[in-house]
Amino acid sequence: MRSGKKALTDSEVRALTPGPRRVVHSLGNSLLLVVEGVKNGGSKRFVGRYRFPPGRGGKQKELALGTYGKGARNLTLKQAKDLWEKQRVWMLEHPGEDPNDRKKKERLQLLNPDGQHTVEDAAEGYLQFLKQQGRKEGTIKDYRNMLWNQVLPALGPSTPLKDLNWSAGGRQAVVALKESVANRGAAYQSEKVLMVLRGVFSYAIDRAWMETPNPALKTATIDSGHKSKQNPALKWEQVPQFFDDLDSKSGELVLQLALKVLAMTFLRVGSLVPARWEELDYESKVWTIPAERMKSGKEHKVPLTCQLIDAFEELRKFNGHQEFVFFSPRGRKTPHLNPQSLNQHLIHIGYKGVTTAHGFRATALTAGIEVLGFPTEVVRRQMAHVVGDKVQQAYDRSEFMIERTKFMTAWCDALVEAGLKI
């Protein structure tokens, strides 16, 4: 971001060319010009930054104003400044209203002057509903990309929902969309498209925007037949050879240590690689992983064994001055190791088809029960599995930390006996 410099003029904005990465320019009064990187289209768009609720305690948010350029749908620099000034006046006059909510209402009125809801309205409403229900941001982002990149272009974002009722041909449109995705060789993706679209239509039906039955209903005749494959996993007797291969074959040291921590904690990769130093509490000997990185959406605690502490201290020699434990200077999308890099390294050392990073969860579950003799419930709780039915989940708040600590100690000791070296 430009700081301490004079705001850009219109000619300077026009002359800006996109580079490899996004660049943000300040235009004064919290108005920004965002120039996207070449890979993301290289567009220039105006954004107003504000806090809601107003004041220092409010959350910093952004209001999209429009794209730079000439034409009915674009804004010149002067038009963007005038529009942002009007928005600021409105915010002063309506301190209890979020301008982004106002923009959505105006958009709905523009799209639906007669109150007729569209496919895009239902998709947007469904995603907002999931957000209110506490679904993970990554899941919502995945659904949004799927809807806006595959579903809406096929069905038409402004198509009235009444035109997609089962009796009005909606079923045929949904089946055609699913089959077109499956015919590209993406059977699993076609099932996922159907699932998300079923949720969108359920949202619309519950609000009387559509009639039953749900046109995305899953039936045997449109099942793609896709069967999920289980991740391959090491058998306990293969573990010694694995550690020998991991140590003897070349690889980045941080990546090797990441795989060793993975073996000791059997976490999902998405929970592991973004680890921050602040999450580690050596005094209590607990690593607390925040809820947003867990599939369960709940905070998870990992007892810190002496072997895990040794591994983290070794990592601290390289990354102790960084925010992330598994910091990688080669990271492009993230400042830490790319989650895929662990699986790629497993392939590099000859374990393609033998195990994946996720496969260590199966190894720990099986060996923890059959080799070490720990109760299934203790191992599964350490894996952050949901244990019991809904009634038990509602009333059972115990964490079994004493039992889980004993298991983690025994597990890491067993890995050392099997050849783990820090």
Side-chain angles (χ1 to χ4, degrees):
M1 181 180 294
R2 293 165 57 108
S3 59
K5 296 183 179 180
K6 187 178 178 181
L8 295 173
T9 64
D10 190 73
S11 59
E12 289 174 328
V13 172
R14 187 166 54 251
L16 288 173
T17 56
R21 296 188 179 184
R22 170 206 260 194
V23 178
V24 181
H25 300 270
S26 174
L27 301 174
N29 292 328
S30 298
L31 177 64
L32 309 174
L33 175 70
V34 179
V35 183
E36 294 291 350
V38 174
K39 289 185 178 180
N40 291 324
S43 65
K44 304 174 188 176
R45 54 190 178 86
F46 296 105
V47 171
R49 186 169 287 170
Y50 65 100
R51 288 187 181 275
F52 187 81
R56 291 187 177 182
K59 181 179 180 182
Q60 187 166 276
K61 304 183 74 172
E62 292 183 350
L63 180 68
L65 300 174
T67 305
Y68 173 77
K70 295 182 179 180
R73 295 188 177 184
N74 296 325
L75 297 171
T76 64
L77 177 59
K78 183 179 183 308
Q79 288 172 332
K81 287 182 175 180
D82 290 344
L83 178 58
W84 179 233
E85 190 58 36
K86 290 179 181 178
Q87 291 287 356
R88 291 179 49 162
V89 171
W90 182 89
M91 284 188 281
L92 288 173
E93 295 174 347
H94 303 81
E97 297 184 48
D98 189 331
N100 267 301
D101 291 339
R102 175 199 182 200
K103 186 177 179 182
K104 288 175 184 176
K105 290 177 182 178
E106 290 177 345
R107 178 180 154 280
L108 285 175
Q109 290 174 355
L110 182 64
L111 288 174
N112 306 306
D114 59 352
Q116 176 62 59
H117 294 282
T118 66
V119 178
E120 188 172 9
D121 297 337
E124 188 65 60
Y126 177 59
L127 295 180
Q128 291 300 319
F129 169 75
L130 293 180
K131 186 175 182 179
Q132 292 168 5
Q133 294 296 306
R135 294 294 292 272
K136 295 178 67 174
E137 289 185 10
T139 299
I140 295 174
K141 182 179 179 181
D142 181 33
Y143 286 6
R144 179 177 290 279
N145 289 338
M146 182 187 301
L147 286 167
W148 263 259
N149 294 337
Q150 298 184 61
V151 175
L152 295 184
L155 299 182
S158 58
T159 300
L161 288 168
K162 65 180 180 61
D163 292 348
L164 289 173
N165 284 328
W166 187 297
S167 59
R171 180 60 170 179
Q172 291 92 323
V174 170
V175 171
L177 170 60
K178 182 182 182 301
E179 289 179 345
S180 69
V181 177
N183 289 339
R184 299 201 308 261
Y188 171 72
Q189 184 71 0
S190 74
E191 295 286 352
K192 198 170 181 181
V193 165
L194 186 68
M195 177 195 72
V196 174
L197 196 50
R198 188 160 56 249
V200 170
F201 289 147
S202 291
Y203 176 87
I205 289 169
D206 287 344
R207 283 149 187 80
W209 297 352
M210 295 183 73
E211 299 174 358
T212 57
N214 190 320
L217 187 68
K218 183 175 181 179
T219 61
T221 58
I222 64 167
D223 192 329
S224 67
H226 172 79
K227 304 297 181 184
S228 297
K229 295 181 179 180
Q230 290 186 338
N231 284 280
L234 292 173
K235 296 178 181 178
W236 181 247
E237 55 269 24
Q238 294 176 297
V239 172
Q241 184 61 52
F242 167 74
F243 284 129
D244 184 57
D245 290 335
L246 183 60
D247 287 332
S248 62
K249 297 181 180 179
S250 62
E252 182 184 341
L253 188 56
V254 172
L255 184 55
Q256 287 183 325
L257 285 167
L259 280 167
K260 292 179 179 181
V261 172
L262 180 75
M264 287 188 277
T265 60
F266 40 89
L267 289 164
R268 290 182 172 86
V269 177
S271 301
L272 175 78
V273 293
R276 291 175 166 84
W277 291 111
E278 64 189 31
E279 298 168 6
L280 306 176
D281 185 345
Y282 284 177
E283 185 175 345
S284 300
K285 292 190 175 181
V286 172
W287 172 13
T288 303
I289 302 174
E292 57 267 23
R293 289 219 311 275
M294 297 301 299
K295 183 178 180 180
S296 65
K298 298 178 181 179
E299 182 181 272
H300 182 59
K301 296 183 184 299
V302 178
L304 288 175
T305 64
C306 58
Q307 293 90 348
L308 275 171
I309 291 175
D310 288 345
F312 285 130
E313 285 306 290
E314 191 66 25
L315 283 160
R316 196 181 293 275
K317 295 177 183 178
F318 303 94
N319 292 337
H321 60 294
Q322 301 289 344
E323 177 184 3
F324 295 94
V325 175
F326 300 103
F327 170 80
S328 175
R330 290 186 287 180
R332 295 181 179 179
K333 295 182 178 180
T334 61
H336 50 71
L337 287 175
N338 186 314
Q340 290 300 320
S341 62
L342 276 71
N343 279 324
Q344 291 170 357
H345 192 61
L346 288 172
I347 294 172
H348 172 72
I349 65 175
Y351 281 80
K352 183 177 181 179
V354 180
T355 190
T356 62
H358 195 82
F360 283 98
R361 293 173 64 79
T363 301
L365 179 61
T366 303
I369 297 168
E370 297 181 357
V371 178
L372 301 181
F374 278 82
T376 303
E377 185 175 17
V378 172
V379 182
R380 290 190 62 198
R381 283 181 183 269
Q382 188 52 51
M383 295 177 70
H385 279 178
V386 176
V387 179
D389 57 23
K390 291 184 179 180
V391 175
Q392 183 179 347
Q393 293 166 31
Y395 289 99
D396 184 4
R397 306 298 171 88
S398 61
E399 294 186 341
F400 284 70
M401 282 303 295
I402 295 176
E403 293 85 351
R404 286 162 56 189
T405 300
K406 290 179 180 178
F407 165 61
M408 286 295 292
T409 300
W411 174 248
C412 289
D413 286 346
L415 291 180
V416 170
E417 292 181 10
L420 170 66
K421 300 174 184 175
I422 306 299

